[in-house]
Amino acid sequence: MTWVELPQVHCDLYVDAAAPQVWELVTDIHLPARHSPELQRVAWLDGVDRPSLGARFEGHNRHHTGAEWRTVSHVVELDEHRAFAWAVLDEDGLFGDAAREPAQALAFWRFDLAPDGDGTRLRQTAAFGPGRSGLTLIVESSPELKEQIITGRQKEWLTGMENTLRGIKERAEQAR
């Protein structure tokens, strides 16, 4: 199963700024933590300080229910001014066996940029799985509520995406 076939959610908007300017913001892994209700902080790993294929960064998350967890992400796509994507892994084994390869990702996230007139059409997409996650554990505990649980999580992700994209838009347009 490819990540495109997994349950996902996306959000997009127009940014009145050129793609290179927007690119600088979407590849700043620290920026989403400034806007997300869940992602608290991030840091590059292995002495890396910018995106490159295979580069890793950790994210620390806190859910409104009080749950906290760490993930490690691997950059899996980097097409300058067009696409930035990463696979989120459970390297600590919090949700089952430790997952250290992108094929075992608990989620995939990406930004896509497309020139649109003088600005940029920006889309953020996130897909669940195929690896185990906190969502997997919740669904397993209440399988009869699977659809409601997944829909609820998609709404939470969408809220975070909307906040992040608005933050990117504001920063990019103020810098013009």
Side-chain angles (χ1 to χ4, degrees), residues 10-73:
H10 71 270
C11 182
D12 62 311
L13 55 67
Y14 176 80
V15 181
D16 190 14
Q21 185 177 353
V22 176
W23 178 256
E24 291 303 314
L25 295 169
V26 301
T27 57
D28 174 358
I29 63 165
H30 304 282
L31 191 137
R34 295 181 195 128
H35 301 284
S36 172
E38 189 169 296
L39 181 62
Q40 302 299 298
R41 68 185 189 281
V42 296
W44 288 107
L45 298 172
D46 310 319
V48 173
D49 64 356
R50 66 180 46 98
S52 61
L53 280 178
R56 298 177 337 126
F57 59 94
E58 67 180 355
H60 295 268
N61 301 277
R62 182 179 313 122
H63 192 263
H64 65 83
T65 61
E68 294 186 29
W69 66 98
R70 180 186 91 113
T71 60
V72 174
S73 295

Side-chain angles (χ1 to χ4, degrees), residues 69-74 87-101 104-107 131-134 137:
W69 66 98
R70 180 186 91 113
T71 60
V72 174
S73 295
H74 291 231
V88 182
L89 305 174
D90 177 21
E91 288 196 359
D92 299 330
L94 183 62
F95 307 116
D97 292 337
R100 294 189 173 88
E101 298 297 325
Q104 304 165 317
L106 58 90
R132 294 180 61 77
S133 66
L137 300 178

Side-chain angles (χ1 to χ4, degrees), residues 85-132:
W86 59 97
V88 182
L89 305 174
D90 177 21
E91 288 196 359
D92 299 330
L94 183 62
F95 307 116
D97 292 337
R100 294 189 173 88
E101 298 297 325
Q104 304 165 317
L106 58 90
F108 288 92
W109 288 77
R110 71 181 288 123
F111 286 107
D112 289 290
L113 295 76
D116 186 351
D118 291 334
T120 305
R121 177 66 48 193
L122 177 61
R123 172 175 276 203
Q124 187 175 25
T125 305
F128 299 106
R132 294 180 61 77

